[in-house]
């Protein structure tokens, strides 16, 4: 059995642990004022720095919670709008005086265009959701994407998975729960299980 010595430093680690340490330091430092020969000014300066980190973490958490709530509200509204407009389109198209030109003007006519897949380059959005990197994919008429990934900038990008939907959740566990991990992704569109177009930009997320 090999035992690894792990270093735990005040200035390292995930933000929750980092902020917890700042709160402990702020609370306990005054207790050592006389023992360490600290001045009130030194203590006040340290506490000001700790308070800044703690306050910004709290503000960030509130902003993330509010944003998540708004995203959920929007998704709920879109979930209502889509079937509503499908039914409404059928009703409008059944009107005696309806024409295709009216439908195009209203944006409810289904139209088609041709696109050369050689120039297509996947665009996605990568964000944290439920504790895991979540990839939202715009398929642009393709069958999905092939996903390539690497961790902490190590080595070459390796094939991770194929996604035929519009969302993919990377549920791999972190290598070290006490440290930040950088995950990078690139993508290729696929049509009938064949890669088409150009490789995407590199998308990164740390958590």
């Amino acid at each position: 059995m090999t035992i690894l010595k792990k270093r735990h430093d005040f200035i390292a680690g995930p933000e929750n642990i980092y902020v917890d340490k700042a709160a402990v330091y702020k609370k306990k430092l005054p207790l050592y004022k006389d023992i360490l020969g600290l001045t009130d000014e030194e203590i006040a300066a340290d506490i000001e720095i700790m308070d800044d980190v703690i306050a910004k973490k709290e503000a960030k958490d509130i902003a993330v919670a509010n944003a998540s709530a708004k995203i959920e509200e929007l998704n709920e509204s879109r979930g209502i709008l889509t079937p509503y407009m499908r039914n409404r389109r059928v009703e409008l198209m059944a009107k005696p005086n309806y024409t295709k030109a009216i439908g195009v003007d209203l944006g409810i006519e289904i139209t088609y265009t041709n696109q050369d897949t050689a120039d297509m380059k996947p665009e996605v959005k990568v964000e944290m959701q439920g504790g895991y990197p979540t990839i939202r994919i715009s398929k642009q008429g393709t069958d999905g994407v092939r996903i390539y990934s690497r961790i902490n900038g190590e080595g070459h990008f390796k094939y991770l998975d194929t996604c035929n939907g519009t969302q993919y959740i990377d549920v791999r566990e972190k290598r070290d729960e006490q440290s930040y991990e950088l995950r990078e992704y690139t993508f290729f569109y696929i049509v009938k299980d064949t890669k088409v177009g150009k490789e995407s930009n590199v998308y990164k997320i740390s958590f």
Side-chain angles (χ1 to χ4, degrees):
M1 181 174 66
T2 301
I3 304 298
L4 299 177
K5 181 183 290 186
K6 297 181 65 176
R7 175 176 174 172
H8 299 277
D9 196 325
F10 181 87
I11 61 173
E15 64 181 28
N16 287 337
I17 295 176
Y18 190 94
V19 171
D20 287 345
K21 289 181 178 179
V24 170
Y25 182 89
K26 168 188 172 182
K27 179 180 179 180
K28 294 188 175 181
L29 182 64
L31 301 178
Y32 296 97
K33 175 183 177 182
D34 295 334
I35 296 174
L36 298 177
L38 302 174
T39 65
D40 290 337
E41 289 75 16
E42 287 179 308
I43 293 175
D46 284 2
I47 290 177
E48 183 178 0
I49 294 294
M50 301 303 122
D51 281 342
D52 183 61
V53 171
I54 294 168
K56 286 178 178 174
K57 172 64 166 59
E58 292 175 348
K60 175 250 184 181
D61 287 345
I62 292 171
V64 169
N66 288 340
S68 297
K70 293 301 180 183
I71 290 171
E72 186 64 29
E73 289 176 6
L74 174 59
N75 288 337
E76 289 177 0
S77 294
R78 289 183 63 184
I80 295 171
L81 175 63
T82 299
Y84 175 86
M85 282 308 300
R86 283 175 179 159
N87 293 331
R88 188 66 178 134
R89 178 173 60 195
V90 172
E91 294 172 355
L92 292 174
M93 287 180 170
K95 299 291 184 182
N97 294 326
Y98 178 87
T99 65
K100 184 174 182 178
I102 293 174
V104 171
D105 199 37
L106 290 174
I108 62 174
E109 270 286 341
I110 298 174
T111 59
Y112 299 91
T113 59
N114 295 322
Q115 181 171 349
D116 186 350
T117 59
D119 296 325
M120 295 183 68
K121 184 176 180 180
E123 294 186 4
V124 307
K125 182 177 181 181
V126 182
E127 60 188 1
M128 291 301 295
Q129 181 174 308
Y132 295 102
T134 299
I135 302 165
R136 301 191 185 282
I137 302 160
S138 177
K139 293 172 64 175
Q140 299 295 324
T142 67
D143 295 330
V145 295
R146 283 188 187 171
I147 306 170
Y148 298 80
S149 178
R150 69 178 179 180
I151 297 175
N152 293 333
E154 299 173 0
H156 300 291
F157 283 86
K158 296 180 180 179
Y159 172 73
L160 175 62
D161 207 346
T162 296
C163 179
N164 297 114
T166 57
Q167 177 176 290
Y168 181 87
I169 302 175
D170 184 355
V171 296
R172 293 175 294 173
E173 296 298 327
K174 291 176 65 176
R175 294 178 177 176
D176 184 350
E177 286 296 334
Q178 301 303 313
S179 300
Y180 279 109
E181 185 166 289
L182 170 66
R183 293 194 184 174
E184 297 175 274
Y185 305 91
T186 63
F187 307 84
F188 278 96
Y189 278 130
I190 55 171
V191 176
K192 296 181 179 178
D193 292 326
T194 300
K195 289 195 304 185
V196 297
K198 300 177 181 179
E199 184 176 11
S200 73
N201 295 334
V202 175
Y203 291 83
K204 303 180 180 181
I205 190 167
S206 295
F207 63 104

